[in-house]
Amino acid sequence: MKLLVTGGAGFIGSAVVRQAIERGHSVVNLDALTYAACLENVESVANSPLYAFEQADICDREALDRIFDTHQPDAVMHLAAESHVDRSIDGPGAFVQTNVTGTYTLLEAARAYWQGSGKPVGFRFHHISTDEVYGSLGPTGQFTEDTPYDPRSPYSASKAASDHLVRAWGETYGLPIVLTNCSNNYGPY
Ligand SMILES: NC(=O)c1ccc[n+]([C@@H]2O[C@H](COP(=O)([O-])OP(=O)(O)OC[C@H]3O[C@@H](n4cnc5c(N)ncnc54)[C@H](O)[C@@H]3O)[C@@H](O)[C@H]2O)c1
């Protein structure tokens, strides 16, 4: 399977890229290389014939169209984001731009590619979101997929907005979407 991974030079994305290649998948790593990127995290797979890197911004529709056209991915895993809550309080604009406008632009590029390829049934657009769209838990309890949205920072509001866009593209255009809301990730790198 060929995966288009956005944000593959970031913390989680680079782990996805390494593991996907270890499992024998082809990966196109699409990343703008912001302050958060660290290409050293994918150095171990950078020379693999299964790996390709594209430096691009998910707000750049022309670049996205070229990348879809060149690489013809079977699925998209969308991790690229402005991801730090504290930075979103100091400067929310970049979060709206990348997380909302960027996700919209990627959805439109993916939809055009999927439709243009005859709507392959196996195609998936996997949007990686956060549990922070559900607000804060007390000392106990858990969120479920039915928990009402209650974002409390510019970061989580921008991720909530992107979740709504992804669901809308699924409902309105039939784009085969998967949406996951993970909690905090930690580990090496
Ligand atoms: N880290 C966590 O604990 C956590 C928890 C829940 C959800 N998430 C979500 O998982 C995803 C990955 O998180 P992370 O911690 O790896 O983030 P990160 O900040 O480490 O990496 C983000 C990557 O996206 C790239 N990027 C940023 N803006 C871009 C743009 N406009 N175009 C293309 N690339 C761009 C950056 O260069 C960077 O490589 C995010 O969507 C985040 O919201 C993270």
Side-chain angles (χ1 to χ4, degrees), residues 58-116:
I58 55 167
C59 300
D60 181 348
R61 176 66 193 269
E62 223 173 274
L64 296 180
D65 286 345
R66 179 189 58 75
I67 290 165
F68 274 106
D69 195 44
T70 305
H71 296 283
Q72 305 273 315
D74 301 307
V76 176
M77 294 184 75
H78 175 35
L79 295 99
E82 287 290 337
S83 70
H84 288 268
V85 176
D86 290 350
R87 290 177 66 94
S88 81
I89 295 164
D90 293 339
F95 287 70
V96 173
Q97 177 67 9
T98 283
N99 300 356
V100 184
T101 304
T103 298
Y104 154 72
T105 310
L106 183 65
L107 279 166
E108 278 294 79
R111 178 166 78 94
Y113 165 72
W114 171 69
Q115 284 177 338

Side-chain angles (χ1 to χ4, degrees), residues 67-175:
I67 290 165
F68 274 106
D69 195 44
T70 305
H71 296 283
Q72 305 273 315
D74 301 307
V76 176
M77 294 184 75
H78 175 35
L79 295 99
E82 287 290 337
S83 70
H84 288 268
V85 176
D86 290 350
R87 290 177 66 94
S88 81
I89 295 164
D90 293 339
F95 287 70
V96 173
Q97 177 67 9
T98 283
N99 300 356
V100 184
T101 304
T103 298
Y104 154 72
T105 310
L106 183 65
L107 279 166
E108 278 294 79
R111 178 166 78 94
Y113 165 72
W114 171 69
Q115 284 177 338
S117 320
K119 301 186 176 179
V121 283
F123 184 80
R124 292 291 181 277
F125 183 101
H126 179 189
H127 178 59
I128 284 72
S129 189
T130 168
D131 64 345
E132 293 198 33
V133 299
Y134 300 121
S136 295
L137 279 179
T140 60
Q142 63 180 26
F143 298 127
T144 73
E145 285 164 344
D146 298 323
T147 302
Y149 273 51
D150 184 20
R152 298 189 184 188
S153 68
Y155 165 64
S156 52
S158 68
K159 291 297 287 191
S162 66
D163 290 10
H164 293 320
L165 291 174
V166 170
R167 279 204 185 83
W169 260 243
E171 291 290 331
T172 307
Y173 304 111
L175 186 71

Side-chain angles (χ1 to χ4, degrees), residues 21-94:
I21 287 178
E22 272 167 33
R23 291 183 181 184
H25 300 296
S26 295
V27 172
V28 181
N29 179 1
L30 186 169
D31 199 296
L33 300 183
T34 71
Y35 80 94
C38 183
L39 275 179
E40 285 167 17
N41 292 358
V42 289
E43 228 168 40
S44 59
V45 295
N47 293 324
S48 166
L50 298 175
Y51 179 77
F53 177 71
E54 293 277 5
Q55 182 170 1
D57 190 316
I58 55 167
C59 300
D60 181 348
R61 176 66 193 269
E62 223 173 274
L64 296 180
D65 286 345
R66 179 189 58 75
I67 290 165
F68 274 106
D69 195 44
T70 305
H71 296 283
Q72 305 273 315
D74 301 307
V76 176
M77 294 184 75
H78 175 35
L79 295 99
E82 287 290 337
S83 70
H84 288 268
V85 176
D86 290 350
R87 290 177 66 94
S88 81
I89 295 164
D90 293 339

